[in-house]
Amino acid sequence: QVQLLESGGGSVQTGGSLKLSCASDSYLFSVCAKAWYRQAPGKERELIATITLNSDTTTYAESVTGRFTISQDKNKKSSYLQMNRLSTEDTATYYCAACRDSSGGHQFVGQGIQVTVSS
């Protein structure tokens, strides 16, 4: 059973924008904080954005601060990652996640979606 499903990835030129969406299982959406990770080729997975259950707090990795925005829509049971001023260094597979666990990771992680930024 798919609990998190990303969409909206693709290819874009440097300086462009993309908005990723993550459709969530209804139960997960109602009880868990959300997050987005990314993993570039040859690099470790990086936590880049988080949002609390009631959307009152968001956090960002330094690498995306000021360019990316995490949000969520209760009616659509979806979280989003708006990505602006993209650079080639943002090329990666992006994953949405839910339910922070005791190790600092997330219990549920989507299958991932590719974002490619070309110059």
Side-chain angles (χ1 to χ4, degrees), residues 79-113:
S79 62
Y80 305 97
L81 186 68
Q82 176 67 47
M83 306 185 293
N84 299 327
R85 303 200 319 266
L86 287 161
S87 73
T88 55
E89 294 186 353
D90 296 313
T91 294
T93 300
Y94 285 73
Y95 302 85
C96 64
C99 306
R100 200 78 182 249
D101 63 26
S102 59
S103 70
H106 286 79
Q107 187 175 358
F108 300 95
V109 181
Q111 294 183 331
I113 194 164

Short mmCIF file of all heavy atoms in Angstrom, two decimals, residues 79-113:
data_model
loop_
_atom_site.label_atom_id
_atom_site.label_comp_id
_atom_site.label_asym_id
_atom_site.label_seq_id
_atom_site.Cartn_x
_atom_site.Cartn_y
_atom_site.Cartn_z
N SER A 79 1.41 17.39 0.97
CA SER A 79 2.45 18.36 1.30
C SER A 79 3.14 18.77 0.00
O SER A 79 3.03 18.07 -1.01
CB SER A 79 3.46 17.79 2.29
OG SER A 79 4.13 16.68 1.73
N TYR A 80 3.83 19.91 0.04
CA TYR A 80 4.41 20.47 -1.16
C TYR A 80 5.83 21.01 -0.88
O TYR A 80 6.15 21.37 0.25
CB TYR A 80 3.54 21.62 -1.68
CG TYR A 80 2.11 21.23 -1.90
CD1 TYR A 80 1.15 21.48 -0.93
CD2 TYR A 80 1.72 20.60 -3.07
CE1 TYR A 80 -0.16 21.10 -1.12
CE2 TYR A 80 0.40 20.22 -3.28
CZ TYR A 80 -0.53 20.47 -2.30
OH TYR A 80 -1.84 20.10 -2.48
N LEU A 81 6.60 21.06 -1.94
CA LEU A 81 7.91 21.70 -1.85
C LEU A 81 8.05 22.60 -3.07
O LEU A 81 8.23 22.12 -4.19
CB LEU A 81 9.04 20.67 -1.82
CG LEU A 81 10.43 21.25 -1.58
CD1 LEU A 81 10.53 21.81 -0.16
CD2 LEU A 81 11.52 20.20 -1.80
N GLN A 82 7.92 23.90 -2.84
CA GLN A 82 8.12 24.87 -3.90
C GLN A 82 9.60 25.18 -3.99
O GLN A 82 10.20 25.59 -2.99
CB GLN A 82 7.34 26.16 -3.61
CG GLN A 82 7.57 27.27 -4.63
CD GLN A 82 7.01 26.94 -5.99
OE1 GLN A 82 5.87 26.50 -6.11
NE2 GLN A 82 7.81 27.17 -7.04
N MET A 83 10.17 24.99 -5.16
CA MET A 83 11.61 25.16 -5.35
C MET A 83 11.84 26.26 -6.38
O MET A 83 11.44 26.14 -7.53
CB MET A 83 12.24 23.85 -5.81
CG MET A 83 11.94 22.68 -4.91
SD MET A 83 12.81 21.17 -5.39
CE MET A 83 12.01 20.83 -6.95
N ASN A 84 12.50 27.33 -5.95
CA ASN A 84 12.79 28.46 -6.82
C ASN A 84 14.29 28.64 -6.99
O ASN A 84 15.08 28.14 -6.20
CB ASN A 84 12.17 29.73 -6.24
CG ASN A 84 10.67 29.65 -6.12
OD1 ASN A 84 9.99 29.02 -6.94
ND2 ASN A 84 10.13 30.31 -5.11
N ARG A 85 14.65 29.37 -8.01
CA ARG A 85 16.07 29.69 -8.29
C ARG A 85 16.91 28.43 -8.25
O ARG A 85 17.95 28.36 -7.58
CB ARG A 85 16.58 30.73 -7.30
CG ARG A 85 15.75 32.02 -7.31
CD ARG A 85 16.47 33.20 -6.74
NE ARG A 85 17.24 32.95 -5.56
CZ ARG A 85 16.82 33.10 -4.31
NH1 ARG A 85 15.58 33.48 -4.10
NH2 ARG A 85 17.61 32.87 -3.28
N LEU A 86 16.47 27.44 -8.98
CA LEU A 86 17.15 26.15 -8.98
C LEU A 86 18.51 26.24 -9.66
O LEU A 86 18.69 26.99 -10.62
CB LEU A 86 16.29 25.10 -9.67
CG LEU A 86 15.08 24.64 -8.85
CD1 LEU A 86 14.05 23.97 -9.74
CD2 LEU A 86 15.51 23.70 -7.74
N SER A 87 19.45 25.47 -9.12
CA SER A 87 20.78 25.39 -9.71
C SER A 87 21.09 23.92 -10.00
O SER A 87 20.39 23.02 -9.55
CB SER A 87 21.83 25.97 -8.77
OG SER A 87 22.05 25.10 -7.68
N THR A 88 22.17 23.70 -10.71
CA THR A 88 22.56 22.33 -11.05
C THR A 88 22.83 21.51 -9.78
O THR A 88 22.68 20.28 -9.79
CB THR A 88 23.79 22.31 -11.96
OG1 THR A 88 24.84 23.04 -11.33
CG2 THR A 88 23.48 22.95 -13.31
N GLU A 89 23.20 22.18 -8.72
CA GLU A 89 23.47 21.47 -7.45
C GLU A 89 22.20 20.95 -6.79
O GLU A 89 22.28 20.20 -5.83
CB GLU A 89 24.23 22.40 -6.50
CG GLU A 89 25.63 22.73 -7.00
CD GLU A 89 26.43 23.53 -5.99
OE1 GLU A 89 25.86 23.93 -4.96
OE2 GLU A 89 27.63 23.73 -6.24
N ASP A 90 21.05 21.37 -7.28
CA ASP A 90 19.77 20.86 -6.76
C ASP A 90 19.34 19.59 -7.46
O ASP A 90 18.33 18.98 -7.08
CB ASP A 90 18.68 21.92 -6.92
CG ASP A 90 18.96 23.16 -6.09
OD1 ASP A 90 19.31 23.02 -4.91
OD2 ASP A 90 18.81 24.29 -6.64
N THR A 91 20.08 19.16 -8.47
CA THR A 91 19.76 17.91 -9.14
C THR A 91 19.87 16.75 -8.16
O THR A 91 20.91 16.55 -7.53
CB THR A 91 20.72 17.68 -10.33
OG1 THR A 91 20.48 18.68 -11.32
CG2 THR A 91 20.50 16.30 -10.94
N ALA A 92 18.78 16.00 -8.02
CA ALA A 92 18.74 14.93 -7.03
C ALA A 92 17.42 14.18 -7.15
O ALA A 92 16.51 14.61 -7.86
CB ALA A 92 18.88 15.50 -5.62
N THR A 93 17.34 13.09 -6.42
CA THR A 93 16.05 12.44 -6.21
C THR A 93 15.47 13.00 -4.93
O THR A 93 16.15 13.03 -3.90
CB THR A 93 16.22 10.92 -6.09
OG1 THR A 93 16.81 10.42 -7.30
CG2 THR A 93 14.87 10.25 -5.89
N TYR A 94 14.23 13.44 -5.00
CA TYR A 94 13.57 14.07 -3.86
C TYR A 94 12.53 13.12 -3.28
O TYR A 94 11.78 12.47 -4.01
CB TYR A 94 12.90 15.37 -4.30
CG TYR A 94 13.90 16.48 -4.53
CD1 TYR A 94 14.75 16.48 -5.63
CD2 TYR A 94 14.02 17.53 -3.61
CE1 TYR A 94 15.69 17.49 -5.82
CE2 TYR A 94 14.95 18.55 -3.81
CZ TYR A 94 15.78 18.51 -4.91
OH TYR A 94 16.72 19.50 -5.09
N TYR A 95 12.52 13.06 -1.95
CA TYR A 95 11.63 12.16 -1.23
C TYR A 95 10.78 12.93 -0.23
O TYR A 95 11.32 13.76 0.51
CB TYR A 95 12.44 11.13 -0.44
CG TYR A 95 13.37 10.27 -1.26
CD1 TYR A 95 14.66 10.71 -1.57
CD2 TYR A 95 12.99 9.01 -1.70
CE1 TYR A 95 15.53 9.93 -2.31
CE2 TYR A 95 13.86 8.21 -2.44
CZ TYR A 95 15.12 8.68 -2.74
OH TYR A 95 15.98 7.89 -3.47
N CYS A 96 9.49 12.64 -0.18
CA CYS A 96 8.71 13.18 0.92
C CYS A 96 8.67 12.14 2.04
O CYS A 96 8.88 10.94 1.80
CB CYS A 96 7.30 13.56 0.47
SG CYS A 96 6.27 12.20 -0.11
N ALA A 97 8.43 12.60 3.24
CA ALA A 97 8.49 11.73 4.40
C ALA A 97 7.48 12.20 5.44
O ALA A 97 7.02 13.34 5.42
CB ALA A 97 9.90 11.74 4.98
N ALA A 98 7.17 11.29 6.37
CA ALA A 98 6.24 11.61 7.44
C ALA A 98 6.60 10.81 8.68
O ALA A 98 7.18 9.74 8.59
CB ALA A 98 4.81 11.30 7.00
N CYS A 99 6.20 11.38 9.84
CA CYS A 99 6.37 10.71 11.13
C CYS A 99 7.82 10.59 11.54
O CYS A 99 8.48 9.58 11.28
CB CYS A 99 5.71 9.33 11.12
SG CYS A 99 3.97 9.34 10.63
N ARG A 100 8.31 11.62 12.20
CA ARG A 100 9.67 11.60 12.71
C ARG A 100 9.81 10.46 13.71
O ARG A 100 8.93 10.24 14.54
CB ARG A 100 9.98 12.93 13.41
CG ARG A 100 11.46 13.25 13.56
CD ARG A 100 12.03 13.74 12.25
NE ARG A 100 13.46 14.01 12.32
CZ ARG A 100 14.00 15.21 12.26
NH1 ARG A 100 13.21 16.26 12.17
NH2 ARG A 100 15.29 15.36 12.30
N ASP A 101 10.92 9.74 13.63
CA ASP A 101 11.13 8.64 14.58
C ASP A 101 12.23 9.02 15.58
O ASP A 101 12.82 10.11 15.50
CB ASP A 101 11.45 7.34 13.85
CG ASP A 101 12.74 7.41 13.04
OD1 ASP A 101 13.64 8.20 13.40
OD2 ASP A 101 12.84 6.67 12.04
N SER A 102 12.48 8.15 16.52
CA SER A 102 13.39 8.45 17.63
C SER A 102 14.84 8.62 17.19
O SER A 102 15.64 9.23 17.91
CB SER A 102 13.30 7.37 18.70
OG SER A 102 13.63 6.11 18.13
N SER A 103 15.18 8.10 16.01
CA SER A 103 16.55 8.20 15.53
C SER A 103 16.81 9.51 14.80
O SER A 103 17.94 9.79 14.39
CB SER A 103 16.87 7.02 14.61
OG SER A 103 16.15 7.14 13.39
N GLY A 104 15.74 10.28 14.61
CA GLY A 104 15.89 11.54 13.88
C GLY A 104 15.49 11.44 12.43
O GLY A 104 15.42 12.45 11.73
N GLY A 105 15.24 10.22 11.98
CA GLY A 105 14.77 10.03 10.62
C GLY A 105 13.26 10.06 10.57
O GLY A 105 12.61 10.60 11.47
N HIS A 106 12.70 9.48 9.51
CA HIS A 106 11.25 9.43 9.38
C HIS A 106 10.80 8.01 9.12
O HIS A 106 11.45 7.25 8.38
CB HIS A 106 10.78 10.37 8.27
CG HIS A 106 10.85 11.81 8.64
ND1 HIS A 106 12.04 12.52 8.63
CD2 HIS A 106 9.89 12.66 9.09
CE1 HIS A 106 11.81 13.75 9.04
NE2 HIS A 106 10.50 13.87 9.32
N GLN A 107 9.68 7.66 9.72
CA GLN A 107 9.19 6.29 9.64
C GLN A 107 8.70 5.95 8.24
O GLN A 107 8.83 4.82 7.79
CB GLN A 107 8.08 6.10 10.66
CG GLN A 107 7.60 4.67 10.78
CD GLN A 107 6.57 4.50 11.88
OE1 GLN A 107 6.24 5.45 12.58
NE2 GLN A 107 6.06 3.30 12.03
N PHE A 108 8.12 6.92 7.55
CA PHE A 108 7.55 6.67 6.23
C PHE A 108 8.23 7.59 5.22
O PHE A 108 8.31 8.80 5.43
CB PHE A 108 6.04 6.91 6.24
CG PHE A 108 5.30 6.03 7.20
CD1 PHE A 108 5.00 6.48 8.47
CD2 PHE A 108 4.92 4.75 6.83
CE1 PHE A 108 4.33 5.67 9.37
CE2 PHE A 108 4.25 3.93 7.72
CZ PHE A 108 3.96 4.38 8.99
N VAL A 109 8.67 7.01 4.13
CA VAL A 109 9.36 7.75 3.09
C VAL A 109 8.82 7.30 1.73
O VAL A 109 8.63 6.10 1.51
CB VAL A 109 10.88 7.53 3.13
CG1 VAL A 109 11.58 8.35 2.04
CG2 VAL A 109 11.43 7.90 4.51
N GLY A 110 8.55 8.27 0.85
CA GLY A 110 8.06 7.94 -0.47
C GLY A 110 9.12 7.30 -1.34
O GLY A 110 10.27 7.14 -0.94
N GLN A 111 8.74 6.92 -2.54
CA GLN A 111 9.65 6.24 -3.44
C GLN A 111 10.63 7.18 -4.12
O GLN A 111 11.64 6.74 -4.66
CB GLN A 111 8.84 5.48 -4.50
CG GLN A 111 8.03 4.33 -3.92
CD GLN A 111 7.30 3.54 -4.98
OE1 GLN A 111 6.93 4.07 -6.02
NE2 GLN A 111 7.08 2.26 -4.73
N GLY A 112 10.34 8.46 -4.09
CA GLY A 112 11.26 9.43 -4.65
C GLY A 112 10.88 9.86 -6.06
O GLY A 112 10.21 9.13 -6.80
N ILE A 113 11.31 11.06 -6.42
CA ILE A 113 11.06 11.59 -7.75
C ILE A 113 12.28 12.39 -8.20
O ILE A 113 12.91 13.08 -7.39
CB ILE A 113 9.78 12.45 -7.76
CG1 ILE A 113 9.33 12.72 -9.19
CG2 ILE A 113 9.95 13.74 -6.97
CD1 ILE A 113 7.90 13.19 -9.28
#
